[in-house]
Amino acid sequence: MTHEAAGVPPTRNDDDRPDDARPAEPQTAPEATDAPDASAEEAGASSSSASSAAASDSSDGGPQGGEERPEARLAKAVQVAEQALIEFEIAVETFRVEVENFSRLHHQKLGPMYARLDELDAQIAEARAARTGDPEDLRKAKEARDIVMPMPGVDELFHDWMDSDGLSPEASAMLTEQPVRPPKRVRPSEEARRLYRELARKAHPDLAQDEPERERRDEFITRVNAAYGRGDVELLKELAAEWAAGPAKPLPPLSESEELYARLEWLSRRKELLTVLAKELEESAIGSMLRMAPDDPDQLLEDIGDQLLGEVSRREAELAELVQ
């Protein structure tokens, strides 16, 4: 490569130059001294500054000190999720209390008006049925009256307390302060008795060597007794298999990351449950009414009351025309 190519001006041989254009004789360079070279001092200073900066980066968790641990970032995410869930729970609970209070006030203030409207609807339907005698009108009149005064059937009220001959023996005994016979039990099958005896011998609490083991056996025998009392052979077999498997082994301890991920999963499931609850509250009849006037629910009750009074007046006028 030529100097021209490198961008350096071309030169000529000194013999070709005029005398006045020739360069001066080169001067002898001064002898080196013992003083430190300036460039060396600057380099040393730069190196010292770089070391200080590296130490600072290391102490601040910078690149020299290593990046932030994944567990630390995950812990921050858990903290943010916990705070967000707390705020969400507060909002849902606040709205739930508002809905509950509004429902109570709604029932206290407007309940009598709704009852009056139901009664007027029943009277109107009965008056119309009496006038027309139409089977459909009679059916509607009965349905309207049932809404006002629902009457449960005798079976629903007394269940097994009454039979074709009157009061059952158990009911008569109680009313006459006589001892009541215990309810009849189905005798457990031979298989149930065999399973019960085997489990009772193996899991009896008196065989425990320490208090925790006694508590485990007490809880287990309680379930065995309940299954035997019902004669549940299948459940007794399951309990026998459970006892044969031995006590549940403790789970191995979770790592820090596993605990944090488990916490995030729990927070996510909790948020889903709260979301469902919030949706149910918002879509309920009282919740929908409350959302119509969240800033002044009392005025909303007054407005609804005025509307109901108007409905009562219209129904009373309709009933008056029918009974004339």
Side-chain angles (χ1 to χ4, degrees), residues 34-308:
D34 294 337
D37 188 7
S39 61
E41 291 179 352
E42 295 174 357
S46 299
S47 176
S48 177
S49 300
S51 299
S52 299
S56 176
D57 290 341
S58 176
S59 62
D60 294 339
Q64 296 296 329
E67 295 182 356
E68 187 179 24
R69 296 170 57 245
E71 291 82 1
R73 295 197 299 270
L74 189 58
K76 290 181 180 178
V78 170
Q79 185 177 8
V80 171
E82 288 175 339
Q83 190 61 39
L85 182 64
I86 290 173
E87 297 298 328
F88 188 32
E89 286 185 340
I90 292 173
V92 173
E93 180 63 14
T94 300
F95 186 63
R96 187 195 67 79
V97 171
E98 291 176 353
V99 169
E100 183 177 313
N101 291 338
F102 187 78
S103 177
R104 186 180 300 109
L105 291 174
H106 180 271
H107 177 71
Q108 291 175 352
K109 292 186 175 182
L110 306 182
M113 295 187 187
Y114 285 117
R116 176 60 178 162
L117 285 173
D118 290 340
E119 175 62 28
L120 287 171
D121 287 338
Q123 292 180 11
I124 290 171
E126 289 168 346
R128 184 177 294 111
R131 173 177 291 187
T132 64
D134 185 89
E136 182 64 18
D137 289 340
L138 293 172
R139 183 187 64 81
K140 291 180 179 179
K142 183 179 182 305
E143 289 180 353
R145 179 53 61 187
D146 289 341
I147 292 175
V148 177
M149 298 182 62
M151 291 296 293
V154 172
D155 292 339
E156 295 175 353
L157 281 174
F158 297 102
H159 299 288
D160 296 331
W161 283 72
M162 297 188 68
D163 55 21
S164 58
D165 297 329
L167 291 174
S168 66
E170 289 80 7
S172 299
M174 291 188 69
L175 293 175
T176 56
E177 298 182 356
Q178 298 297 320
V180 180
R181 291 178 300 176
K184 296 179 181 178
R185 286 175 177 253
V186 177
R187 180 182 175 86
S189 65
E190 184 61 33
E191 178 72 2
R193 292 198 297 274
R194 181 185 65 80
L195 290 169
Y196 172 73
R197 287 193 294 266
E198 290 179 358
L199 286 171
R201 293 190 185 104
K202 293 177 181 178
H204 198 282
D206 289 346
L207 300 176
Q209 300 296 322
D210 51 40
E211 189 59 27
E213 176 65 12
R214 172 176 288 276
E215 293 178 358
R216 183 177 80 92
R217 288 171 177 263
D218 281 336
E219 185 274 336
F220 183 80
I221 285 296
T222 299
R223 290 190 286 147
V224 170
N225 290 337
Y228 179 65
R230 296 192 300 269
D232 194 335
V233 173
E234 293 303 319
L235 181 54
L236 287 170
K237 290 180 179 179
E238 293 177 5
L239 290 170
E242 178 184 332
W243 185 260
K249 297 180 179 179
L251 297 175
L254 299 177
S255 66
E256 182 181 359
S257 296
E258 289 172 336
E259 288 183 353
L260 291 170
Y261 276 118
R263 179 63 175 167
L264 278 177
E265 290 179 359
W266 183 88
L267 292 169
S268 177
R269 292 194 299 270
R270 177 64 179 167
K271 181 177 179 296
E272 291 176 358
L273 293 175
L274 287 173
T275 301
V276 173
L277 175 59
K279 184 177 180 181
E280 291 177 353
L281 288 171
E282 291 178 351
E283 294 180 351
S284 65
I286 296 297
S288 300
M289 293 172 61
L290 184 58
R291 287 190 296 119
M292 294 170 56
D295 297 329
D296 195 0
D298 292 333
Q299 184 59 46
L300 177 61
L301 287 177
E302 295 295 334
D303 294 341
I304 297 175
D306 292 340
Q307 296 175 9
L308 292 178

